[in-house]
Amino acid sequence: MNPSFKDLVIRFKIELERHLAVRLPLIERDGYLQMESSELTKKIFLYPNERRLRFQGPEEGIHIDEDILAQKFDLIVQRIVAKWKNNRRIYARKTIVARIDKKVSQQFLVEHHLQTPLPGKYRYGLYEQGELVSIAVFSGGRRMNDKNDEYRSFELLRFCNKSGYNVIGGLSKLIKAFSKDFSPGDIMTYTDRDWNQHSSLEKIGFTIKEITAPITFWVAGAHRYTYRNEEELIVLMDQAPLGFPKENMGSIKMILYIK
């Protein structure tokens, strides 16, 4: 296990302990590091670049790769802290919902979301006293072969609260505003199993359709390139020979039926 990875994790541990005011023992396992505390509901698994696969166990956990931790250190700290210690709770009923443009949405996602920002087709935000505190990004509608001509299925591409904020009822309010404007038959989305092996979206009416297969990546510098087979991997290895392979835990596909 490379020393630079251990140094990065120790810095991460110190930051979390400072924000959460808990002690987080660091345990070295077979090719990865593990952080846990009786005061937290999930273990944190941290993988060096040379470790391709996730630890498979019954515990609920957060799985973080070295390359992502190095690139988005502050965002990851903020997201974990927000899970157990919300800096500020806002009730959605006290916010104003509005359509937002692509530029505002993209900048918000860059600052507050771990995944690649997506422009989508429709974007909604919640404002508290003029400050944007939550957004949802939706795709365009798709016709479904087994439904009538008016039925449309949309995808919730991104949902994000401002770092350090917990907007109670925020996603429900954003979906309600979107549904009023576009009358979707259903809204589907994916949740990242690296962070949640069981989705809280069930609480607001989403149902689980399937657990998708892990995604394989070739990591080169700050970029992650997906590949589906050995032929695509060989091409990526030729293009970026200093890269390395990674595999996440896949996603949970969920659908909210509205009609």
Side-chain angles (χ1 to χ4, degrees), residues 215-219 224-229 232-233 236:
I215 299 172
T216 50
F217 302 92
W218 183 253
V219 183
R224 285 189 157 210
Y225 304 95
T226 59
Y227 67 89
R228 294 166 293 181
N229 51 52
E232 292 181 355
L233 174 59
L236 289 169

Side-chain angles (χ1 to χ4, degrees), residues 14-153:
I14 291 170
E15 276 297 293
L16 288 180
E17 289 179 333
R18 182 173 67 85
H19 285 286
L20 295 172
V22 299
R23 184 172 174 271
L24 295 169
L26 193 60
I27 305 166
E28 186 166 342
R29 299 297 190 189
D30 183 20
Y32 65 93
L33 295 175
Q34 178 180 312
M35 227 182 282
E36 61 181 280
S37 169
S38 59
E39 299 180 54
L40 306 183
T41 57
K42 293 183 180 181
K43 295 180 179 180
I44 302 172
F45 302 96
L46 300 123
Y47 304 95
N49 289 338
E50 59 267 25
R51 168 92 180 203
R52 174 177 177 171
L53 300 177
R54 297 286 187 253
F55 162 75
Q56 299 293 333
E59 302 97 334
E60 280 281 299
I62 296 170
H63 300 261
I64 305 170
D65 288 316
E66 178 182 353
D67 64 301
I68 298 298
L69 182 60
Q71 293 169 35
K72 300 192 176 182
F73 186 94
D74 291 337
L75 271 181
I76 292 172
V77 169
Q78 290 166 8
R79 181 169 179 179
I80 291 175
V81 169
K83 279 182 172 290
W84 289 289
K85 182 183 177 182
N86 297 307
N87 293 333
R88 185 174 180 187
R89 293 167 65 90
I90 298 171
Y91 289 92
R93 66 176 182 270
K94 296 184 178 180
T95 65
I96 295 173
V97 62
R99 298 278 295 271
I100 58 176
D101 64 29
K102 183 169 68 173
K103 182 177 179 180
V104 170
S105 170
Q106 291 284 92
Q107 185 60 40
F108 192 89
L109 290 171
V110 167
E111 293 178 2
H112 305 292
H113 202 285
L114 290 176
Q115 295 181 333
T116 303
L118 296 176
K121 188 168 184 179
Y122 308 109
R123 297 159 293 271
Y124 287 73
L126 296 178
Y127 288 84
E128 188 214 24
Q129 297 181 355
E131 179 182 12
L132 184 60
V133 294
S134 187
I135 71 168
V137 178
F138 299 89
S139 72
R142 291 187 303 130
R143 288 186 176 180
M144 307 301 288
N145 293 333
D146 59 341
K147 304 293 183 182
N148 61 48
D149 289 342
E150 289 75 33
Y151 192 101
R152 294 291 184 274
S153 176

Side-chain angles (χ1 to χ4, degrees), residues 140-179:
R142 291 187 303 130
R143 288 186 176 180
M144 307 301 288
N145 293 333
D146 59 341
K147 304 293 183 182
N148 61 48
D149 289 342
E150 289 75 33
Y151 192 101
R152 294 291 184 274
S153 176
F154 294 79
E155 182 175 352
L156 171 63
L157 297 168
R158 293 287 185 266
F159 167 68
C160 180
N161 288 326
K162 185 174 181 177
S163 299
Y165 285 64
N166 185 16
V167 185
I168 310 299
L171 180 56
S172 293
K173 184 167 183 174
L174 289 164
I175 288 175
K176 184 177 180 180
F178 173 76
S179 299

